[in-house]
Amino acid sequence: TQLLEQSPQFLSIQEGENLTVYCNSSSVFSSLQWYRQEPGEGPVLLVTVVTGGEVKKLKRLTFQFGDARKDSSLHITAAQPGDTGLYLCAGPNTPLVFGKGTRLSVIA
Amino acid sequence: NAGVTQTPKFRILKIGQSMTLQCTQDMNHNYMYWYRQDPGMGLKLIYYSVGAGITDKGEVPNGYNVSRSTTEDFPLRLELAAPSQTSVYFCASSYPGEAQPQHFGDGTRLSIL
């Protein structure tokens, strides 16, 4: 079974700060997905990365897939309170393998 | 499109009672899933289905049952509710294929007292 380790588990920062969260595995993934779950809602897909070394940007969010396709990172620039939530990475399988998530709190 | 719809949104049960959590999707997705999420934690897979008539156990299936008689519906049954089943339950669906996104419902918040 492929396992995904996410770090940090919790992160609390001030509005305007930058942050990076990580998703790591000992296995190679053909693709990786990032989801965000806002309080009281279900997770929503942010992005899928499929190519080693790939970088995708979604406004202030930058996603990177490692060259070896065993790790991924999510960088948020100038965090805002609306970024608060649980960030989950997921690897391709049936069913998807989810990491335990990074719980981000952005304080105004 | 409504996407994935879960009912009820909230429920309080007494120990030993039974109930069915409903999930329906209107996207014609073959695959459907049930997860539970305990406070402050990630998602744990309970059961999943790759098509009508086919179901498989996930990581934490004990105490639950599912059925998949149609493509649209995937109900989750709790037979003898226990306090350990207090959680938020999410249903999700997707097309087949490893890079296909899962679409989640808004969850059912279940408390067992």
Side-chain angles (χ1 to χ4, degrees):
Chain A
T1 303
Q2 296 174 319
L3 293 176
L4 290 167
E5 300 282 346
Q6 291 193 245
S7 61
Q9 189 176 357
F10 300 97
L11 188 57
S12 181
I13 62 171
Q14 296 289 324
E15 181 177 3
E17 292 184 358
N18 301 331
L19 67 114
T20 302
V21 299
Y22 300 92
C23 175
N24 295 291
S25 173
S26 57
S27 303
V28 174
F29 286 95
S30 56
S31 65
L32 203 86
Q33 299 177 355
W34 282 94
Y35 291 78
R36 178 170 65 205
Q37 183 182 19
E38 298 184 13
E41 300 182 6
V44 176
L45 180 72
L46 294 173
V47 76
T48 301
V49 287
V50 297
T51 305
E54 181 177 7
V55 176
K56 282 192 173 180
K57 292 191 175 183
L58 189 65
K59 297 184 181 178
R60 294 174 295 98
L61 278 60
T62 301
F63 303 85
Q64 186 160 8
F65 201 15
D67 291 340
R69 291 185 285 124
K70 296 171 68 172
D71 59 271
S72 182
S73 64
L74 159 57
H75 182 79
I76 301 179
T77 303
Q80 299 179 358
D83 296 326
T84 292
L86 178 67
Y87 289 81
L88 296 159
C89 64
N93 255 324
T94 299
L96 275 180
V97 176
F98 280 93
K100 293 185 177 180
T102 292
R103 193 164 296 275
L104 172 65
S105 178
V106 182
I107 303 165
Chain B
N1 284 345
V4 178
T5 302
Q6 292 184 238
T7 57
K9 294 189 183 304
F10 304 93
R11 184 74 184 267
I12 298 174
L13 283 181
K14 293 182 179 179
I15 295 171
Q17 287 186 321
S18 61
M19 77 162 293
T20 299
L21 282 66
Q22 301 291 345
C23 176
T24 188
Q25 52 93 9
D26 62 0
M27 295 172 282
N28 202 31
H29 286 164
N30 295 86
Y31 292 4
M32 295 188 75
Y33 316 82
W34 274 106
Y35 295 90
R36 60 176 287 173
Q37 186 175 39
D38 298 330
M41 304 296 284
L43 300 169
K44 292 185 178 180
L45 183 68
I46 306 171
Y47 272 96
Y48 67 103
S49 168
V50 298
I54 305 169
T55 62
D56 277 297
K57 295 179 180 179
E59 180 184 0
V60 290
N62 291 344
Y64 307 94
N65 282 299
V66 293
S67 59
R68 185 95 182 271
S69 57
T70 67
T71 298
E72 295 78 18
D73 300 305
F74 191 38
L76 178 71
R77 178 85 176 162
L78 281 71
E79 291 294 350
L80 289 171
S84 61
Q85 294 177 305
T86 293
S87 192
V88 181
Y89 291 83
F90 288 100
C91 179
S93 69
S94 73
Y95 288 117
E98 63 177 31
Q100 292 296 325
Q102 287 193 4
H103 298 259
F104 286 81
D106 287 335
T108 293
R109 283 147 187 80
L110 180 62
S111 293
I112 299 169
L113 306 175

